[in-house]
Amino acid sequence: MASITPIGDKILIKRIEAEEVTKGGIVIPDSAKDKPAEGKVIAVGAGRRLPSGEVVDFQVKKNDRVLFSSYAGSEVKIDGNAHLVMSEDEILAVVE
Amino acid sequence: MASITPIGDKILIKRIEAEEVTKGGIVIPDSAKDKPAEGKVIAVGAGRRLPSGEVVDFQVKKNDRVLFSSYAGSEVKIDGNAHLVMSEDEILAVVE
Amino acid sequence: MASITPIGDKILIKRIEAEEVTKGGIVIPDSAKDKPAEGKVIAVGAGRRLPSGEVVDFQVKKNDRVLFSSYAGSEVKIDGNAHLVMSEDEILAVVE
Amino acid sequence: MASITPIGDKILIKRIEAEEVTKGGIVIPDSAKDKPAEGKVIAVGAGRRLPSGEVVDFQVKKNDRVLFSSYAGSEVKIDGNAHLVMSEDEILAVVE
Amino acid sequence: MASITPIGDKILIKRIEAEEVTKGGIVIPDSAKDKPAEGKVIAVGAGRRLPSGEVVDFQVKKNDRVLFSSYAGSEVKIDGNAHLVMSEDEILAVVE
Amino acid sequence: MASITPIGDKILIKRIEAEEVTKGGIVIPDSAKDKPAEGKVIAVGAGRRLPSGEVVDFQVKKNDRVLFSSYAGSEVKIDGNAHLVMSEDEILAVVE
Amino acid sequence: MASITPIGDKILIKRIEAEEVTKGGIVIPDSAKDKPAEGKVIAVGAGRRLPSGEVVDFQVKKNDRVLFSSYAGSEVKIDGNAHLVMSEDEILAVVE
């Protein structure tokens, strides 16, 4: 498998398909609004650079299970699995 | 129940349904405009980072009852209850 | 009556209905443009935070009678009276 | 007459009607574009706050005759006369 | 003639009509795109204030012949001649 | 072959055509969303200038294989091959 | 020929027509997207002012051959030749 390293403040996420989410019984998005989706963090970039020049660490790390809007990120398939590249501020929460 | 930790400046809120709000007789939104909704703060992120790099504390804390616009946030269901993830500046006021 | 504390730079205003305004003969909005409305400041938040991190005081205080655009703020009803939550920069002027 | 004090960087202006402008023979807006309007500064706010927190003085003062876009500001009527509340950067020029 | 002093970063320009431009044979705008127009600087404001609070001098001065987009500025007529009030960054170049 | 040096924060990328991507079996974009494309970094500009004036180095370097949105950049053909000029924040990830 | 000095961060460019570009065999824009155009830098302004007040030098200089988007800049004709006034960040690359 090729290694994909996100740039800067970007994060590579492997999408967790709806069936898996339902099986775990944890997060079922409501139909009325934007449906958040779940995924696992595969890799993070070098960090987010503030306007001051300082680079701040990510608040998510490899293997974190995260919630994000279904509109977030750019999709890529790696070895047949759906992945997304998005910036950290598109991530809503970490599921523990 | 799974634990959901919001990212950065985001806040996890459990929605208080309209019936409950009406029962308490406290806040009934007017029909002419955007209807604010009520909820209880379940968890807060690490804080909001200013452009200078400083992280400032939230003005709401766990268990606060808050008002927010009905358009605010992204909805998730946890164990069958409607929750919302939103940033603090989408919260209008704390009801005490 | 429940106490409502606005968040950060937000201000809670009790709307003064048009009849009251007309009775006082002071401010009658013109029909051609956005009609400003009048209200009384009921409570203010903790203050507005500048990008530098400094928190600045409000220029309006409790009991001030204020003018604001009729499109400003989010409406809530408290004990049957129309109230609005808005940020200070949506307030046009103080009527003395 | 009630006293109206503009908030922060806002300015209260009494509109000078078109007839008065024409009589003075000074500024007749061109029909092809946005027509600037004229008015007299009645009151100014406390000043404009820079992102750094510093408050800067206004460049217009009470009684200045000013030009502004016909789309600028929010209209109020005080004692039957058309007034406008606008921020200083909506003012184009001072007529002396 | 009334004196008009532009506010802050604004500049008062007397338009040079197309015929005059053609006579001098210098700048004939192309038909395919936004046509720049020519004018003479009549008066400048106090200067442009940076976010840091510093006021910087203008790069154009009274009597400079300038090029600007035909969409730039707000038109006023002074003593029957077309004038424009615009900010310096709407000026493209100085013609010498 | 002419040498093309990107300006400032811009990067010159030689597009890797879809057939080549498929042959390597690495990244096949999903049909549902914005399809990321692949390319090789040919040349980078002088660096990105922060608002503070500091110039920061690029996170990609010559010969890096990168993923970017199919909408990113401006296309040029050099010696018959499709190239793109884009800024670094339009690059999603480096493929190693 | 009149001398035209661009203002601040603006650059005056003499367009190189398509035939000339094709003759040199260097850059033929692709038909699918925004076609970059080529030109020669004729004159540059005083430099770009950062929010901090510092003025930074241009990365292009007089006589540089540059690529830019076909939508960039405002067109002027000088002595019958198509010229453009644009800001440096509309320039994609220098062709050497």
Side-chain angles (χ1 to χ4, degrees), chain A residues 7 12-13 21 26 29 31 40 46 55:
Chain A
I7 288 291
L12 178 67
I13 289 169
V21 177
I26 297 163
S31 64
K40 197 172 95 172
V55 175

Side-chain angles (χ1 to χ4, degrees), chain D residues 25-30 32-36 48 50-52 54 56 59-60 67 88-96, chain E residues 2-10 15 46-47 49-53 70-79 84-85:
Chain D
I26 297 163
V27 176
I28 303 161
D30 204 52
K33 299 185 91 182
D34 172 30
K35 294 177 207 296
R48 183 164 62 92
L50 301 176
S52 67
E54 193 192 345
V56 298
Q59 298 173 61
V60 298
L67 293 182
E88 193 183 56
D89 58 14
E90 292 179 286
I91 295 177
L92 296 171
V94 177
V95 183
E96 276 153 295
Chain E
S3 162
I4 295 189
T5 309
I7 288 291
D9 74 335
K10 297 197 181 69
R15 187 190 286 283
R49 189 177 293 272
L50 301 175
S52 66
S70 59
Y71 303 122
S74 294
E75 255 181 50
V76 291
K77 258 200 184 139
I78 307 180
D79 302 330
L84 292 149
V85 178

